[in-house]
Amino acid sequence: MRADAERNLDAVLRTGARLLAADPGASIAAIAVAAGVDRRTVYRRFTTREELLAAVHTAKLDACEQVVTEARLTEAPVLVALHRYAEGIIAVSRRLPVDVRQVQDEAGADRLRRLMGRLDGFMDRAVHEGVIRPGLPDRWARSLLVQLTAMAAHEMPELTNAQGADMVVQSLTEGLRPD
């Protein structure tokens, strides 16, 4: 893909994510205008809003998978991996603010389940290593991590990604630390 086409696609995906998160009925024409590209450019790639939304979900899942991989959840020290994950996910969520839990296709839903499974495994490791206290309901710590990163990303714009990650890690570990 040419560099300008790649920039246009990135602008359309980012703008589409922002506008569709705020208004699921946003038109492709409105997204094109906000992205600063001709609507024909968008229509050549996406014939419907649903196709564009699917592409946004795919882009966000790709970015989330990259964050999970780079956080090294299975080999880095738990607190280091947790901070890397939180900082990366906050950045991705700010760049692509759509909710991937609303993904419509089975392949995307399967990718999301695998990602959540990796996080559940990481939370199990955190319990085993004494960072998170044992005895919590299944998926509690992972669900809290997801909610905390979303809150830092969307409700605390004054925080940098790193500051948001600091707050996520502190809230998760001090609120759930072993007795």
Side-chain angles (χ1 to χ4, degrees), residues 101-136:
R101 293 174 299 179
Q102 296 176 351
V103 67
Q104 298 293 314
D105 64 289
E106 190 55 40
D110 189 49
R111 288 177 71 188
L112 182 59
R113 279 190 293 276
R114 284 194 309 271
L115 273 171
M116 292 300 109
R118 289 175 73 182
L119 286 178
D120 286 335
F122 175 63
M123 289 292 110
D124 290 345
R125 178 178 168 229
V127 168
H128 179 73
E129 294 186 18
V131 176
I132 304 288
R133 71 177 155 89
L136 297 169

PDB file of all heavy atoms in Angstrom, residues 101-136:
ATOM      1  N   ARG A 101     -16.174  -5.682  22.302  1.00  0.00           N
ATOM      2  CA  ARG A 101     -17.154  -6.681  22.747  1.00  0.00           C
ATOM      3  C   ARG A 101     -18.382  -6.662  21.850  1.00  0.00           C
ATOM      4  O   ARG A 101     -19.195  -7.576  21.899  1.00  0.00           O
ATOM      5  CB  ARG A 101     -17.548  -6.434  24.206  1.00  0.00           C
ATOM      6  CG  ARG A 101     -16.387  -6.684  25.176  1.00  0.00           C
ATOM      7  CD  ARG A 101     -16.751  -6.306  26.565  1.00  0.00           C
ATOM      8  NE  ARG A 101     -17.068  -4.868  26.599  1.00  0.00           N
ATOM      9  CZ  ARG A 101     -17.456  -4.211  27.673  1.00  0.00           C
ATOM     10  NH1 ARG A 101     -17.614  -4.845  28.807  1.00  0.00           N
ATOM     11  NH2 ARG A 101     -17.701  -2.921  27.624  1.00  0.00           N
ATOM     12  N   GLN A 102     -18.512  -5.649  21.020  1.00  0.00           N
ATOM     13  CA  GLN A 102     -19.641  -5.554  20.094  1.00  0.00           C
ATOM     14  C   GLN A 102     -19.294  -6.111  18.717  1.00  0.00           C
ATOM     15  O   GLN A 102     -20.063  -5.923  17.776  1.00  0.00           O
ATOM     16  CB  GLN A 102     -20.101  -4.106  19.983  1.00  0.00           C
ATOM     17  CG  GLN A 102     -20.630  -3.572  21.284  1.00  0.00           C
ATOM     18  CD  GLN A 102     -20.987  -2.094  21.198  1.00  0.00           C
ATOM     19  OE1 GLN A 102     -20.705  -1.421  20.234  1.00  0.00           O
ATOM     20  NE2 GLN A 102     -21.620  -1.596  22.256  1.00  0.00           N
ATOM     21  N   VAL A 103     -18.169  -6.794  18.606  1.00  0.00           N
ATOM     22  CA  VAL A 103     -17.765  -7.371  17.325  1.00  0.00           C
ATOM     23  C   VAL A 103     -18.870  -8.310  16.832  1.00  0.00           C
ATOM     24  O   VAL A 103     -19.490  -9.023  17.624  1.00  0.00           O
ATOM     25  CB  VAL A 103     -16.400  -8.090  17.452  1.00  0.00           C
ATOM     26  CG1 VAL A 103     -16.471  -9.319  18.318  1.00  0.00           C
ATOM     27  CG2 VAL A 103     -15.833  -8.431  16.100  1.00  0.00           C
ATOM     28  N   GLN A 104     -19.149  -8.261  15.528  1.00  0.00           N
ATOM     29  CA  GLN A 104     -20.279  -8.992  14.970  1.00  0.00           C
ATOM     30  C   GLN A 104     -19.919 -10.334  14.348  1.00  0.00           C
ATOM     31  O   GLN A 104     -20.756 -11.218  14.277  1.00  0.00           O
ATOM     32  CB  GLN A 104     -20.974  -8.129  13.905  1.00  0.00           C
ATOM     33  CG  GLN A 104     -21.552  -6.840  14.447  1.00  0.00           C
ATOM     34  CD  GLN A 104     -22.709  -7.068  15.391  1.00  0.00           C
ATOM     35  OE1 GLN A 104     -23.599  -7.855  15.098  1.00  0.00           O
ATOM     36  NE2 GLN A 104     -22.695  -6.415  16.529  1.00  0.00           N
ATOM     37  N   ASP A 105     -18.700 -10.489  13.872  1.00  0.00           N
ATOM     38  CA  ASP A 105     -18.359 -11.724  13.168  1.00  0.00           C
ATOM     39  C   ASP A 105     -17.752 -12.744  14.127  1.00  0.00           C
ATOM     40  O   ASP A 105     -17.152 -12.403  15.138  1.00  0.00           O
ATOM     41  CB  ASP A 105     -17.402 -11.439  12.002  1.00  0.00           C
ATOM     42  CG  ASP A 105     -16.073 -10.889  12.483  1.00  0.00           C
ATOM     43  OD1 ASP A 105     -16.042  -9.728  12.942  1.00  0.00           O
ATOM     44  OD2 ASP A 105     -15.080 -11.626  12.403  1.00  0.00           O
ATOM     45  N   GLU A 106     -17.929 -14.016  13.799  1.00  0.00           N
ATOM     46  CA  GLU A 106     -17.460 -15.106  14.674  1.00  0.00           C
ATOM     47  C   GLU A 106     -15.947 -15.112  14.812  1.00  0.00           C
ATOM     48  O   GLU A 106     -15.421 -15.391  15.881  1.00  0.00           O
ATOM     49  CB  GLU A 106     -17.970 -16.451  14.152  1.00  0.00           C
ATOM     50  CG  GLU A 106     -17.733 -17.599  15.112  1.00  0.00           C
ATOM     51  CD  GLU A 106     -18.301 -17.368  16.515  1.00  0.00           C
ATOM     52  OE1 GLU A 106     -19.405 -16.818  16.640  1.00  0.00           O
ATOM     53  OE2 GLU A 106     -17.614 -17.733  17.494  1.00  0.00           O
ATOM     54  N   ALA A 107     -15.235 -14.806  13.725  1.00  0.00           N
ATOM     55  CA  ALA A 107     -13.767 -14.787  13.796  1.00  0.00           C
ATOM     56  C   ALA A 107     -13.296 -13.731  14.788  1.00  0.00           C
ATOM     57  O   ALA A 107     -12.387 -13.977  15.594  1.00  0.00           O
ATOM     58  CB  ALA A 107     -13.171 -14.540  12.412  1.00  0.00           C
ATOM     59  N   GLY A 108     -13.900 -12.552  14.754  1.00  0.00           N
ATOM     60  CA  GLY A 108     -13.548 -11.501  15.697  1.00  0.00           C
ATOM     61  C   GLY A 108     -13.909 -11.874  17.120  1.00  0.00           C
ATOM     62  O   GLY A 108     -13.137 -11.635  18.055  1.00  0.00           O
ATOM     63  N   ALA A 109     -15.073 -12.480  17.304  1.00  0.00           N
ATOM     64  CA  ALA A 109     -15.490 -12.920  18.640  1.00  0.00           C
ATOM     65  C   ALA A 109     -14.536 -13.977  19.179  1.00  0.00           C
ATOM     66  O   ALA A 109     -14.197 -13.972  20.370  1.00  0.00           O
ATOM     67  CB  ALA A 109     -16.918 -13.450  18.593  1.00  0.00           C
ATOM     68  N   ASP A 110     -14.070 -14.865  18.308  1.00  0.00           N
ATOM     69  CA  ASP A 110     -13.114 -15.888  18.718  1.00  0.00           C
ATOM     70  C   ASP A 110     -11.777 -15.259  19.120  1.00  0.00           C
ATOM     71  O   ASP A 110     -11.175 -15.647  20.114  1.00  0.00           O
ATOM     72  CB  ASP A 110     -12.923 -16.899  17.594  1.00  0.00           C
ATOM     73  CG  ASP A 110     -12.109 -18.091  18.034  1.00  0.00           C
ATOM     74  OD1 ASP A 110     -12.425 -18.672  19.108  1.00  0.00           O
ATOM     75  OD2 ASP A 110     -11.142 -18.453  17.324  1.00  0.00           O
ATOM     76  N   ARG A 111     -11.328 -14.277  18.357  1.00  0.00           N
ATOM     77  CA  ARG A 111     -10.089 -13.564  18.710  1.00  0.00           C
ATOM     78  C   ARG A 111     -10.221 -12.900  20.076  1.00  0.00           C
ATOM     79  O   ARG A 111      -9.302 -12.943  20.893  1.00  0.00           O
ATOM     80  CB  ARG A 111      -9.762 -12.512  17.656  1.00  0.00           C
ATOM     81  CG  ARG A 111      -9.280 -13.069  16.348  1.00  0.00           C
ATOM     82  CD  ARG A 111      -9.038 -11.982  15.324  1.00  0.00           C
ATOM     83  NE  ARG A 111      -7.854 -11.199  15.677  1.00  0.00           N
ATOM     84  CZ  ARG A 111      -7.503 -10.086  15.039  1.00  0.00           C
ATOM     85  NH1 ARG A 111      -8.231  -9.615  14.040  1.00  0.00           N
ATOM     86  NH2 ARG A 111      -6.414  -9.430  15.392  1.00  0.00           N
ATOM     87  N   LEU A 112     -11.372 -12.271  20.313  1.00  0.00           N
ATOM     88  CA  LEU A 112     -11.599 -11.611  21.595  1.00  0.00           C
ATOM     89  C   LEU A 112     -11.593 -12.630  22.733  1.00  0.00           C
ATOM     90  O   LEU A 112     -11.003 -12.385  23.788  1.00  0.00           O
ATOM     91  CB  LEU A 112     -12.913 -10.833  21.563  1.00  0.00           C
ATOM     92  CG  LEU A 112     -13.259 -10.055  22.823  1.00  0.00           C
ATOM     93  CD1 LEU A 112     -12.175  -9.035  23.165  1.00  0.00           C
ATOM     94  CD2 LEU A 112     -14.607  -9.379  22.667  1.00  0.00           C
ATOM     95  N   ARG A 113     -12.228 -13.784  22.538  1.00  0.00           N
ATOM     96  CA  ARG A 113     -12.219 -14.835  23.572  1.00  0.00           C
ATOM     97  C   ARG A 113     -10.788 -15.296  23.870  1.00  0.00           C
ATOM     98  O   ARG A 113     -10.428 -15.492  25.037  1.00  0.00           O
ATOM     99  CB  ARG A 113     -13.072 -16.028  23.137  1.00  0.00           C
ATOM    100  CG  ARG A 113     -14.563 -15.836  23.363  1.00  0.00           C
ATOM    101  CD  ARG A 113     -15.353 -17.129  23.149  1.00  0.00           C
ATOM    102  NE  ARG A 113     -15.342 -17.566  21.757  1.00  0.00           N
ATOM    103  CZ  ARG A 113     -16.171 -17.126  20.817  1.00  0.00           C
ATOM    104  NH1 ARG A 113     -17.084 -16.224  21.120  1.00  0.00           N
ATOM    105  NH2 ARG A 113     -16.104 -17.588  19.592  1.00  0.00           N
ATOM    106  N   ARG A 114      -9.986 -15.450  22.837  1.00  0.00           N
ATOM    107  CA  ARG A 114      -8.584 -15.866  23.050  1.00  0.00           C
ATOM    108  C   ARG A 114      -7.807 -14.796  23.824  1.00  0.00           C
ATOM    109  O   ARG A 114      -7.019 -15.115  24.713  1.00  0.00           O
ATOM    110  CB  ARG A 114      -7.901 -16.182  21.721  1.00  0.00           C
ATOM    111  CG  ARG A 114      -8.327 -17.513  21.137  1.00  0.00           C
ATOM    112  CD  ARG A 114      -7.414 -18.000  20.008  1.00  0.00           C
ATOM    113  NE  ARG A 114      -7.175 -17.019  18.965  1.00  0.00           N
ATOM    114  CZ  ARG A 114      -7.918 -16.858  17.881  1.00  0.00           C
ATOM    115  NH1 ARG A 114      -8.993 -17.615  17.691  1.00  0.00           N
ATOM    116  NH2 ARG A 114      -7.617 -15.942  16.981  1.00  0.00           N
ATOM    117  N   LEU A 115      -8.027 -13.537  23.480  1.00  0.00           N
ATOM    118  CA  LEU A 115      -7.371 -12.452  24.218  1.00  0.00           C
ATOM    119  C   LEU A 115      -7.773 -12.465  25.688  1.00  0.00           C
ATOM    120  O   LEU A 115      -6.923 -12.339  26.577  1.00  0.00           O
ATOM    121  CB  LEU A 115      -7.730 -11.097  23.607  1.00  0.00           C
ATOM    122  CG  LEU A 115      -6.885 -10.596  22.466  1.00  0.00           C
ATOM    123  CD1 LEU A 115      -7.516  -9.351  21.843  1.00  0.00           C
ATOM    124  CD2 LEU A 115      -5.472 -10.298  22.911  1.00  0.00           C
ATOM    125  N   MET A 116      -9.062 -12.616  25.949  1.00  0.00           N
ATOM    126  CA  MET A 116      -9.536 -12.656  27.339  1.00  0.00           C
ATOM    127  C   MET A 116      -8.967 -13.876  28.056  1.00  0.00           C
ATOM    128  O   MET A 116      -8.624 -13.810  29.238  1.00  0.00           O
ATOM    129  CB  MET A 116     -11.067 -12.651  27.395  1.00  0.00           C
ATOM    130  CG  MET A 116     -11.712 -11.353  26.937  1.00  0.00           C
ATOM    131  SD  MET A 116     -11.231  -9.911  27.910  1.00  0.00           S
ATOM    132  CE  MET A 116     -10.192  -9.052  26.738  1.00  0.00           C
ATOM    133  N   GLY A 117      -8.828 -14.981  27.340  1.00  0.00           N
ATOM    134  CA  GLY A 117      -8.221 -16.177  27.922  1.00  0.00           C
ATOM    135  C   GLY A 117      -6.776 -15.939  28.317  1.00  0.00           C
ATOM    136  O   GLY A 117      -6.319 -16.399  29.374  1.00  0.00           O
ATOM    137  N   ARG A 118      -6.047 -15.226  27.482  1.00  0.00           N
ATOM    138  CA  ARG A 118      -4.653 -14.898  27.814  1.00  0.00           C
ATOM    139  C   ARG A 118      -4.593 -14.013  29.056  1.00  0.00           C
ATOM    140  O   ARG A 118      -3.725 -14.187  29.917  1.00  0.00           O
ATOM    141  CB  ARG A 118      -3.967 -14.229  26.630  1.00  0.00           C
ATOM    142  CG  ARG A 118      -3.705 -15.196  25.481  1.00  0.00           C
ATOM    143  CD  ARG A 118      -3.133 -14.525  24.260  1.00  0.00           C
ATOM    144  NE  ARG A 118      -1.732 -14.153  24.455  1.00  0.00           N
ATOM    145  CZ  ARG A 118      -1.015 -13.520  23.537  1.00  0.00           C
ATOM    146  NH1 ARG A 118      -1.560 -13.177  22.373  1.00  0.00           N
ATOM    147  NH2 ARG A 118       0.247 -13.209  23.776  1.00  0.00           N
ATOM    148  N   LEU A 119      -5.523 -13.063  29.155  1.00  0.00           N
ATOM    149  CA  LEU A 119      -5.557 -12.215  30.349  1.00  0.00           C
ATOM    150  C   LEU A 119      -5.951 -13.012  31.582  1.00  0.00           C
ATOM    151  O   LEU A 119      -5.405 -12.790  32.670  1.00  0.00           O
ATOM    152  CB  LEU A 119      -6.520 -11.042  30.145  1.00  0.00           C
ATOM    153  CG  LEU A 119      -6.044  -9.933  29.228  1.00  0.00           C
ATOM    154  CD1 LEU A 119      -7.123  -8.874  29.096  1.00  0.00           C
ATOM    155  CD2 LEU A 119      -4.745  -9.328  29.707  1.00  0.00           C
ATOM    156  N   ASP A 120      -6.896 -13.941  31.435  1.00  0.00           N
ATOM    157  CA  ASP A 120      -7.270 -14.797  32.568  1.00  0.00           C
ATOM    158  C   ASP A 120      -6.062 -15.612  33.033  1.00  0.00           C
ATOM    159  O   ASP A 120      -5.819 -15.738  34.241  1.00  0.00           O
ATOM    160  CB  ASP A 120      -8.425 -15.732  32.190  1.00  0.00           C
ATOM    161  CG  ASP A 120      -9.763 -15.007  32.102  1.00  0.00           C
ATOM    162  OD1 ASP A 120      -9.931 -13.956  32.742  1.00  0.00           O
ATOM    163  OD2 ASP A 120     -10.643 -15.513  31.377  1.00  0.00           O
ATOM    164  N   GLY A 121      -5.314 -16.147  32.087  1.00  0.00           N
ATOM    165  CA  GLY A 121      -4.104 -16.894  32.436  1.00  0.00           C
ATOM    166  C   GLY A 121      -3.096 -16.017  33.164  1.00  0.00           C
ATOM    167  O   GLY A 121      -2.447 -16.444  34.128  1.00  0.00           O
ATOM    168  N   PHE A 122      -2.951 -14.789  32.717  1.00  0.00           N
ATOM    169  CA  PHE A 122      -2.047 -13.855  33.371  1.00  0.00           C
ATOM    170  C   PHE A 122      -2.520 -13.538  34.789  1.00  0.00           C
ATOM    171  O   PHE A 122      -1.725 -13.489  35.728  1.00  0.00           O
ATOM    172  CB  PHE A 122      -1.928 -12.570  32.540  1.00  0.00           C
ATOM    173  CG  PHE A 122      -1.112 -11.502  33.196  1.00  0.00           C
ATOM    174  CD1 PHE A 122       0.234 -11.696  33.466  1.00  0.00           C
ATOM    175  CD2 PHE A 122      -1.690 -10.292  33.555  1.00  0.00           C
ATOM    176  CE1 PHE A 122       1.000 -10.706  34.084  1.00  0.00           C
ATOM    177  CE2 PHE A 122      -0.945  -9.299  34.165  1.00  0.00           C
ATOM    178  CZ  PHE A 122       0.410  -9.501  34.431  1.00  0.00           C
ATOM    179  N   MET A 123      -3.815 -13.351  34.969  1.00  0.00           N
ATOM    180  CA  MET A 123      -4.338 -13.076  36.304  1.00  0.00           C
ATOM    181  C   MET A 123      -4.139 -14.292  37.221  1.00  0.00           C
ATOM    182  O   MET A 123      -3.827 -14.137  38.399  1.00  0.00           O
ATOM    183  CB  MET A 123      -5.817 -12.687  36.242  1.00  0.00           C
ATOM    184  CG  MET A 123      -6.063 -11.320  35.632  1.00  0.00           C
ATOM    185  SD  MET A 123      -5.462  -9.957  36.657  1.00  0.00           S
ATOM    186  CE  MET A 123      -4.080  -9.385  35.679  1.00  0.00           C
ATOM    187  N   ASP A 124      -4.276 -15.505  36.669  1.00  0.00           N
ATOM    188  CA  ASP A 124      -3.985 -16.713  37.450  1.00  0.00           C
ATOM    189  C   ASP A 124      -2.531 -16.706  37.899  1.00  0.00           C
ATOM    190  O   ASP A 124      -2.212 -17.053  39.040  1.00  0.00           O
ATOM    191  CB  ASP A 124      -4.276 -17.977  36.632  1.00  0.00           C
ATOM    192  CG  ASP A 124      -5.756 -18.214  36.399  1.00  0.00           C
ATOM    193  OD1 ASP A 124      -6.588 -17.584  37.081  1.00  0.00           O
ATOM    194  OD2 ASP A 124      -6.075 -19.035  35.507  1.00  0.00           O
ATOM    195  N   ARG A 125      -1.642 -16.314  36.992  1.00  0.00           N
ATOM    196  CA  ARG A 125      -0.220 -16.219  37.329  1.00  0.00           C
ATOM    197  C   ARG A 125      -0.006 -15.180  38.423  1.00  0.00           C
ATOM    198  O   ARG A 125       0.771 -15.400  39.361  1.00  0.00           O
ATOM    199  CB  ARG A 125       0.564 -15.848  36.067  1.00  0.00           C
ATOM    200  CG  ARG A 125       2.038 -15.670  36.308  1.00  0.00           C
ATOM    201  CD  ARG A 125       2.800 -15.352  35.017  1.00  0.00           C
ATOM    202  NE  ARG A 125       4.128 -14.929  35.393  1.00  0.00           N
ATOM    203  CZ  ARG A 125       4.730 -13.847  34.940  1.00  0.00           C
ATOM    204  NH1 ARG A 125       4.151 -13.085  34.034  1.00  0.00           N
ATOM    205  NH2 ARG A 125       5.925 -13.534  35.362  1.00  0.00           N
ATOM    206  N   ALA A 126      -0.694 -14.047  38.336  1.00  0.00           N
ATOM    207  CA  ALA A 126      -0.564 -13.000  39.349  1.00  0.00           C
ATOM    208  C   ALA A 126      -1.016 -13.503  40.718  1.00  0.00           C
ATOM    209  O   ALA A 126      -0.402 -13.184  41.740  1.00  0.00           O
ATOM    210  CB  ALA A 126      -1.360 -11.763  38.931  1.00  0.00           C
ATOM    211  N   VAL A 127      -2.067 -14.319  40.746  1.00  0.00           N
ATOM    212  CA  VAL A 127      -2.524 -14.921  42.004  1.00  0.00           C
ATOM    213  C   VAL A 127      -1.457 -15.891  42.515  1.00  0.00           C
ATOM    214  O   VAL A 127      -1.070 -15.843  43.687  1.00  0.00           O
ATOM    215  CB  VAL A 127      -3.878 -15.644  41.823  1.00  0.00           C
ATOM    216  CG1 VAL A 127      -4.211 -16.505  43.028  1.00  0.00           C
ATOM    217  CG2 VAL A 127      -4.991 -14.628  41.557  1.00  0.00           C
ATOM    218  N   HIS A 128      -0.981 -16.754  41.635  1.00  0.00           N
ATOM    219  CA  HIS A 128       0.020 -17.765  42.009  1.00  0.00           C
ATOM    220  C   HIS A 128       1.288 -17.115  42.566  1.00  0.00           C
ATOM    221  O   HIS A 128       1.907 -17.640  43.492  1.00  0.00           O
ATOM    222  CB  HIS A 128       0.349 -18.647  40.797  1.00  0.00           C
ATOM    223  CG  HIS A 128       1.374 -19.679  41.068  1.00  0.00           C
ATOM    224  ND1 HIS A 128       1.108 -20.811  41.827  1.00  0.00           N
ATOM    225  CD2 HIS A 128       2.673 -19.761  40.703  1.00  0.00           C
ATOM    226  CE1 HIS A 128       2.201 -21.527  41.920  1.00  0.00           C
ATOM    227  NE2 HIS A 128       3.168 -20.914  41.241  1.00  0.00           N
ATOM    228  N   GLU A 129       1.666 -15.960  42.021  1.00  0.00           N
ATOM    229  CA  GLU A 129       2.887 -15.279  42.468  1.00  0.00           C
ATOM    230  C   GLU A 129       2.630 -14.289  43.602  1.00  0.00           C
ATOM    231  O   GLU A 129       3.533 -13.568  44.018  1.00  0.00           O
ATOM    232  CB  GLU A 129       3.567 -14.594  41.281  1.00  0.00           C
ATOM    233  CG  GLU A 129       4.090 -15.612  40.279  1.00  0.00           C
ATOM    234  CD  GLU A 129       4.898 -14.993  39.150  1.00  0.00           C
ATOM    235  OE1 GLU A 129       5.359 -13.836  39.293  1.00  0.00           O
ATOM    236  OE2 GLU A 129       5.080 -15.692  38.136  1.00  0.00           O
ATOM    237  N   GLY A 130       1.398 -14.245  44.122  1.00  0.00           N
ATOM    238  CA  GLY A 130       1.098 -13.434  45.293  1.00  0.00           C
ATOM    239  C   GLY A 130       0.851 -11.959  45.039  1.00  0.00           C
ATOM    240  O   GLY A 130       0.816 -11.167  45.977  1.00  0.00           O
ATOM    241  N   VAL A 131       0.649 -11.565  43.788  1.00  0.00           N
ATOM    242  CA  VAL A 131       0.372 -10.158  43.482  1.00  0.00           C
ATOM    243  C   VAL A 131      -1.113  -9.857  43.663  1.00  0.00           C
ATOM    244  O   VAL A 131      -1.487  -8.768  44.099  1.00  0.00           O
ATOM    245  CB  VAL A 131       0.841  -9.818  42.042  1.00  0.00           C
ATOM    246  CG1 VAL A 131       0.472  -8.397  41.662  1.00  0.00           C
ATOM    247  CG2 VAL A 131       2.352 -10.036  41.916  1.00  0.00           C
ATOM    248  N   ILE A 132      -1.946 -10.807  43.349  1.00  0.00           N
ATOM    249  CA  ILE A 132      -3.399 -10.701  43.504  1.00  0.00           C
ATOM    250  C   ILE A 132      -3.819 -11.778  44.505  1.00  0.00           C
ATOM    251  O   ILE A 132      -3.333 -12.908  44.442  1.00  0.00           O
ATOM    252  CB  ILE A 132      -4.128 -10.940  42.159  1.00  0.00           C
ATOM    253  CG1 ILE A 132      -3.633  -9.986  41.078  1.00  0.00           C
ATOM    254  CG2 ILE A 132      -5.643 -10.875  42.330  1.00  0.00           C
ATOM    255  CD1 ILE A 132      -4.053  -8.562  41.220  1.00  0.00           C
ATOM    256  N   ARG A 133      -4.718 -11.433  45.397  1.00  0.00           N
ATOM    257  CA  ARG A 133      -5.113 -12.422  46.406  1.00  0.00           C
ATOM    258  C   ARG A 133      -5.957 -13.532  45.795  1.00  0.00           C
ATOM    259  O   ARG A 133      -6.736 -13.300  44.863  1.00  0.00           O
ATOM    260  CB  ARG A 133      -5.846 -11.766  47.565  1.00  0.00           C
ATOM    261  CG  ARG A 133      -7.219 -11.257  47.284  1.00  0.00           C
ATOM    262  CD  ARG A 133      -7.829 -10.709  48.594  1.00  0.00           C
ATOM    263  NE  ARG A 133      -8.829  -9.725  48.343  1.00  0.00           N
ATOM    264  CZ  ARG A 133     -10.118 -10.013  48.173  1.00  0.00           C
ATOM    265  NH1 ARG A 133     -10.530 -11.246  48.204  1.00  0.00           N
ATOM    266  NH2 ARG A 133     -10.979  -9.041  47.959  1.00  0.00           N
ATOM    267  N   PRO A 134      -5.833 -14.724  46.339  1.00  0.00           N
ATOM    268  CA  PRO A 134      -6.624 -15.855  45.843  1.00  0.00           C
ATOM    269  C   PRO A 134      -8.061 -15.786  46.348  1.00  0.00           C
ATOM    270  O   PRO A 134      -8.393 -14.991  47.232  1.00  0.00           O
ATOM    271  CB  PRO A 134      -5.899 -17.071  46.434  1.00  0.00           C
ATOM    272  CG  PRO A 134      -5.221 -16.552  47.662  1.00  0.00           C
ATOM    273  CD  PRO A 134      -4.889 -15.108  47.382  1.00  0.00           C
ATOM    274  N   GLY A 135      -8.906 -16.616  45.769  1.00  0.00           N
ATOM    275  CA  GLY A 135     -10.271 -16.757  46.242  1.00  0.00           C
ATOM    276  C   GLY A 135     -11.279 -15.814  45.605  1.00  0.00           C
ATOM    277  O   GLY A 135     -12.449 -15.816  45.990  1.00  0.00           O
ATOM    278  N   LEU A 136     -10.854 -15.017  44.640  1.00  0.00           N
ATOM    279  CA  LEU A 136     -11.795 -14.126  43.956  1.00  0.00           C
ATOM    280  C   LEU A 136     -12.637 -14.931  42.976  1.00  0.00           C
ATOM    281  O   LEU A 136     -12.192 -15.968  42.475  1.00  0.00           O
ATOM    282  CB  LEU A 136     -11.036 -13.029  43.200  1.00  0.00           C
ATOM    283  CG  LEU A 136     -10.203 -12.082  44.067  1.00  0.00           C
ATOM    284  CD1 LEU A 136      -9.304 -11.222  43.199  1.00  0.00           C
ATOM    285  CD2 LEU A 136     -11.128 -11.217  44.909  1.00  0.00           C
TER     286      LEU A 136
END
